[in-house]
Amino acid sequence: MNIINLRFFHEILDELIVVIKKIDCKVLPESDRLVINLVRKFHRNNFAIAKLIEEGLFEECFSLQRLSLEHFFNIFALIEDPSFIENFRNNTELNISKTAKELQKNTANLTVENAEKLMYLNEEFKKNPVDSMGYSIYNAAKKCPCEIADFYDSLYRVYSLEYAHSTYASATRSPTEKNADEIIKNAIDFLRILIAQIKSKYLKITKKE
């Protein structure tokens, strides 16, 4: 494992925090505030990746880098098209609706209070059903600039097959320190792209005193 690259990984993570602290989110519209929240999550994912690498937990790093890519795609989709927030929100509402419907099939393990809350929630969804707006990570990626969207096929699909799920591929593959160098390099590239974009878009319109 390249110790110099790992040290630089920590330095660029620190740089992202410095940039975030200069942004006054109170003056931003909702879609941009959501972007900054996702950037914070992206930072925490990558901070955890660095710690996992230091502990030699390389396989877990790939799973976490896949999640950070999801944040990455959503961040750039929202920057490119602020109205994408409606698709993003709709996906959560749709999943809540589906989950509530499934939970209603068996409430034996719920308290009376929670069973009543669930029933009320399902009644509300019957009155106001949630229709899918077609959100997916794939669609989020395709809204991004080409250099970002390309990561979906070149990295995200591979991570999904080999690391993120319980599959034959994930069960028979054991990442090594060589793979850790790949993780660090990719993470640094993502951070560089993100920092440049955040500086360009947000530091021109808002600065904390």
Side-chain angles (χ1 to χ4, degrees), residues 58-119:
F58 307 130
E59 192 161 355
E60 289 72 15
C61 294
F62 279 105
S63 298
L64 203 47
Q65 194 162 77
R66 178 182 178 273
L67 175 58
S68 74
L69 272 171
E70 292 185 356
H71 294 322
F72 199 61
F73 295 140
N74 285 323
I75 287 166
F76 279 90
L78 286 163
I79 289 174
E80 288 292 306
D81 179 11
S83 69
F84 188 70
I85 190 174
E86 298 305 328
N87 300 65
F88 198 39
R89 181 186 291 115
N90 169 260
N91 183 59
T92 296
E93 293 172 348
L94 187 66
N95 285 332
I96 291 173
S97 174
K98 289 178 178 179
T99 301
K101 186 177 180 180
E102 289 302 312
L103 289 174
Q104 192 67 56
K105 294 177 181 179
N106 183 7
T107 61
N109 294 322
L110 298 179
T111 64
V112 173
E113 181 182 1
N114 285 337
E116 289 177 352
K117 288 180 179 178
L118 181 62
M119 185 180 297

Side-chain angles (χ1 to χ4, degrees), residues 3-190:
I3 300 300
I4 295 175
N5 282 348
L6 183 57
R7 188 181 302 122
F8 183 65
F9 186 13
H10 279 289
E11 289 174 0
I12 201 166
L13 281 168
D14 291 341
E15 182 182 351
L16 179 57
I17 284 295
V18 170
V19 172
I20 292 171
K21 287 181 177 178
K22 291 180 179 178
I23 299 171
D24 186 358
C25 290
K26 296 190 295 295
V27 305
L28 296 176
E30 183 185 7
S31 61
D32 287 322
R33 293 198 303 272
L34 184 57
V35 165
I36 302 306
N37 285 340
L38 288 169
V39 170
R40 291 191 181 101
K41 288 181 176 293
F42 182 84
H43 175 272
R44 288 196 293 270
N45 285 165
N46 281 275
F47 181 79
I49 287 171
K51 292 299 182 183
L52 287 168
I53 288 173
E54 290 167 1
E55 294 296 325
L57 300 171
F58 307 130
E59 192 161 355
E60 289 72 15
C61 294
F62 279 105
S63 298
L64 203 47
Q65 194 162 77
R66 178 182 178 273
L67 175 58
S68 74
L69 272 171
E70 292 185 356
H71 294 322
F72 199 61
F73 295 140
N74 285 323
I75 287 166
F76 279 90
L78 286 163
I79 289 174
E80 288 292 306
D81 179 11
S83 69
F84 188 70
I85 190 174
E86 298 305 328
N87 300 65
F88 198 39
R89 181 186 291 115
N90 169 260
N91 183 59
T92 296
E93 293 172 348
L94 187 66
N95 285 332
I96 291 173
S97 174
K98 289 178 178 179
T99 301
K101 186 177 180 180
E102 289 302 312
L103 289 174
Q104 192 67 56
K105 294 177 181 179
N106 183 7
T107 61
N109 294 322
L110 298 179
T111 64
V112 173
E113 181 182 1
N114 285 337
E116 289 177 352
K117 288 180 179 178
L118 181 62
M119 185 180 297
Y120 173 78
L121 184 62
N122 277 303
E123 287 173 356
E124 289 298 307
F125 281 129
K126 284 180 182 178
K127 294 176 187 176
N128 302 289
V130 180
D131 296 321
S132 174
M133 294 177 68
Y135 171 86
S136 67
I137 288 295
Y138 175 81
N139 289 336
K142 294 308 173 186
K143 275 196 168 289
C144 300
C146 291
E147 65 271 21
I148 306 299
D150 287 346
F151 290 131
Y152 185 89
D153 288 326
S154 64
L155 287 177
Y156 186 78
R157 286 186 185 276
V158 176
Y159 289 176
S160 296
L161 174 64
E162 296 186 347
Y163 301 107
H165 303 292
S166 181
T167 63
Y168 179 84
S170 67
T172 55
R173 184 176 175 83
S174 298
T176 65
E177 284 194 7
K178 183 179 179 181
N179 299 116
D181 288 332
E182 174 191 338
I183 296 170
I184 295 170
K185 180 183 180 302
N186 288 338
I188 290 172
D189 287 344
F190 300 152

